[in-house]
Amino acid sequence: MAERAALEELVRLQGEHVRELKLQKASAEQIEEEVSQLLKLKAQLGPDEGKHKFVLKTPKDFDIAGQFDPMIPDAECLKIMCEILSSLQIGDFLVKVNDRRILDGMFAVCGVPDSKFRTICSSVDKLDKVPWEEVKNEMVGEKGLAPEVADRIGDYVQQHGGVSLVEQLLQDPKLSQNKQALEGLGDLKLLFEYLALFGIADKISFDLSLARGLDYYTGVIYEAVLLQTAAQAGEEPLGVGSVAAGGRYDGLVGMFDPKGRKVPCVGLSVGVERIFSIVEQRLEALEEKVRTTETQVLVASAQKKLLEERLKLVSELWDAGIKAELLYKKNPKLLNQLQYCEEAGIPLVAIIGEQELKDGVVKLRAVASREEVDVRREDLVKEIKRRTSQPPCIC
C-alpha cells in the first residue's frame, strides 16, 4: 500500500508539472516528453479494481477484427465539422487529412531512426507556418537527422491532393512495402469514398505534412484551416491557425479500462476562441458593433414621470411577440436611452412623450440612421415587424 501511495503521489506531481508547462506555453516537444513520462507512471500504477466503478463498452455490433467499418465514424466527424464551419459563415475553409500510420511508415522508409519519429514529426507539423528549407534545417541542424534522410522526407511531405494522391502512394515502391503506411492509405481511400457520398470531398485535402503533434492519435487525423482571401480595406491578414481539428485515438480511452480493452474512438473539437477572434477582427474592419442582445426595440420616454406608460407599451409589444425592453430607471434621460441602444446594437427605439400620448402615436427611431417617424399606436407592432423582418447584414 505504501508503494502504491508513493507512486500515486508521483503521478499527481507529474500531472501538475504537465499542466504547468501547458500554462507556460512550453514547446510541444517538451510537453510531449513529460506527458509520455506521466503515461509511464500511470502504467506502473496499474489498475486499482477497488476504484473502478464503471465499465467501458463498445457497441454490441462492433468487431475490431473487421465486421465494423472504422471509416464511417471518421467520415461522419468530417461531415459534422464541415457543417459547423459552413453555418458559422466565417469564410472558405479547407480540411486537411492524413494518417499517423502513413507518417510513421513514411519516416521508416525514409530512414528516420525509431527514437526520432516523434521529434521529426513535430518538425513536419510546422510546414503550414514556415517553408520546407527551415524545417529541413531544424531536422538536420538541431535534431541530428542525416541530410539525405531529410531530403527523402521532403519529397513526400510537400505533396497534397485528393484520392488520386492516395492511389498514387499505394503504388509507391517504398511506401507500399510498409505495413503501417499501407493500412493507413487503404483506410484513407475508403474514407474519401464516404466523403464523396456525403458531398464534402471537395472540402478535403490529403496533406502529407499534417502531423498533429499529440502522440495519442493512432489513425486518421484532420485539421480545418481558413483559406486566405485578399484583405479588404482596414483588414490585416488572418493568422489564427487551425479553427477545428481531430482524429482517431483508439488507444487512449482503453487506458482507463480495468482490463485494458481496446476502445475505438474518434472525435473533433472546434476552436471557439480562434473563431471569435476572426469575427471580431472583421467587425472592427467594417466598423460594425457586436450586438450583445436580441432586443428589437427599446421603449423610451422623452419626459419624466412616464414609467407607467413605458411599462404599458413594452407589455403590448411583448404580447405581440416583439423582443422589447426598457431601462429600469424611473426617469432616464432620453440621450442615455439612445446611447444604450447604440452600445447594445438595438436597431429601433419606440419613444413616447406627452404629445405622443395625446396624439395616439409613437415616435419610432431607427438607431443607425437616426431617422424618426410617427406611427399610430395600433400600427406600431406591424411596423416594427416589417422593419425587423428584413434580412440582417452578414459580416
Side-chain angles (χ1 to χ4, degrees):
M1 291 294 292
E3 291 181 3
R4 182 176 183 83
L7 195 53
E8 287 177 343
E9 179 63 13
L10 287 175
V11 169
R12 186 186 68 81
L13 292 173
Q14 184 67 13
E16 290 181 356
H17 181 51
V18 170
R19 286 190 289 273
E20 185 65 27
L21 287 175
K22 290 180 179 179
L23 289 173
Q24 294 174 357
K25 297 183 178 180
S27 69
E29 293 174 23
Q30 186 178 3
I31 293 174
E32 186 174 325
E33 182 179 344
E34 296 302 326
V35 169
S36 177
Q37 183 62 31
L38 176 60
L39 294 177
K40 289 178 182 177
L41 289 172
K42 287 184 176 180
Q44 292 178 37
L45 194 61
D48 185 350
E49 299 295 342
K51 289 187 176 182
H52 289 282
K53 298 184 183 296
F54 64 93
V55 177
L56 296 170
K57 294 183 179 180
T58 54
K60 289 183 179 180
D61 61 346
F62 182 84
D63 182 356
I64 197 69
Q67 297 300 316
F68 182 86
D69 191 322
M71 288 297 100
I72 294 176
D74 300 70
E76 188 174 2
C77 280
L78 288 166
K79 172 70 170 174
I80 292 169
M81 180 184 287
C82 289
E83 288 179 350
I84 291 172
L85 295 177
S86 295
S87 68
L88 291 173
Q89 298 181 337
I90 54 175
D92 291 334
F93 62 89
L94 180 71
V95 181
K96 300 186 291 185
V97 301
N98 200 359
D99 193 297
R100 288 301 285 266
R101 294 167 296 177
I102 297 174
L103 279 170
D104 287 347
M106 176 187 67
F107 291 150
V109 301
C110 287
V112 178
D114 291 353
S115 60
K116 291 185 181 292
F117 272 26
R118 295 285 76 88
T119 186
I120 297 302
C121 185
S122 67
S123 295
V124 170
D125 205 31
K126 298 176 182 177
L127 272 172
D128 63 334
K129 304 178 183 69
V130 298
W132 162 247
E133 286 303 319
E134 289 188 32
V135 172
K136 179 184 174 180
N137 290 339
E138 179 181 296
M139 288 179 176
V140 176
E142 298 179 22
K143 299 182 177 180
L145 197 67
E148 62 273 16
V149 174
D151 287 336
R152 287 196 287 268
I153 293 173
D155 292 338
Y156 283 114
V157 297
Q158 296 181 80
Q159 298 185 63
H160 55 84
V163 68
S164 60
L165 177 58
V166 178
E167 293 171 344
Q168 174 188 323
L169 293 176
L170 280 168
Q171 304 302 318
D172 185 274
K174 294 181 179 179
L175 276 184
S176 61
Q177 300 304 309
N178 182 276
K179 182 181 177 182
Q180 276 190 300
L182 202 58
E183 289 177 355
L185 288 166
D187 279 351
L188 271 190
K189 183 178 179 181
L190 183 60
L191 177 65
F192 269 97
E193 291 179 12
Y194 296 154
L195 297 177
L197 293 173
F198 284 162
I200 58 170
D202 61 326
K203 289 288 187 182
I204 314 296
S205 172
F206 174 29
D207 191 326
L208 281 156
S209 70
L210 179 64
R212 299 293 300 159
L214 296 174
D215 200 31
Y216 56 70
Y217 287 117
T218 57
V220 174
I221 51 177
Y222 35 85
E223 182 176 278
V225 295
L226 292 185
L227 297 177
Q228 293 287 350
T229 56
Q232 299 179 6
E235 286 189 357
E236 296 180 0
L238 296 171
V240 297
S242 64
V243 292
R248 179 165 285 276
Y249 41 99
D250 288 344
L252 184 63
V253 176
M255 292 171 52
F256 303 98
D257 186 278
K259 297 182 180 179
R261 288 169 293 194
K262 187 174 182 180
V263 180
C265 296
V266 63
L268 64 95
S269 63
V270 177
V272 176
E273 291 185 359
R274 289 182 173 183
I275 290 172
F276 279 170
S277 71
I278 295 167
V279 174
E280 288 173 355
Q281 179 176 325
R282 289 181 174 174
L283 289 175
E284 286 175 4
L286 295 170
E287 297 183 349
E288 293 274 354
K289 292 187 178 294
V290 178
R291 286 198 64 185
T292 59
T293 177
E294 291 187 351
T295 301
Q296 296 168 300
V297 59
L298 179 82
V299 175
S301 56
Q303 289 99 25
K304 294 181 179 180
K305 298 181 179 180
L306 292 176
L307 175 59
E308 291 184 2
E309 295 298 332
R310 284 192 291 142
L311 290 171
K312 288 179 185 178
L313 181 54
V314 80
S315 180
E316 291 175 17
L317 296 177
W318 287 341
D319 290 342
I322 301 292
K323 295 176 181 177
E325 65 174 285
L326 75 165
L327 298 189
Y328 294 151
K329 289 184 177 181
K330 286 186 177 181
N331 299 303
K333 294 180 179 179
L334 181 58
L335 180 60
N336 291 343
Q337 295 171 89
L338 298 178
Q339 286 178 339
Y340 172 76
C341 289
E342 291 184 357
E343 292 170 0
I346 299 174
L348 299 172
V349 190
I351 304 172
I352 51 176
E354 294 177 357
Q355 189 60 49
E356 284 78 16
L357 291 171
K358 288 180 182 179
D359 296 342
V361 299
V362 175
K363 193 178 296 295
L364 193 61
R365 178 186 175 103
V367 175
S369 65
R370 302 186 179 182
E371 178 188 356
E372 295 181 346
V373 293
D374 286 341
V375 180
R376 295 198 60 80
R377 188 142 177 167
E378 59 266 27
D379 297 330
L380 181 61
V381 169
K382 182 179 179 181
E383 179 63 16
I384 292 174
K385 287 185 175 181
R386 184 187 70 81
R387 294 195 182 203
T388 56
S389 65
Q390 297 174 356
C393 173
I394 298 175
C395 302

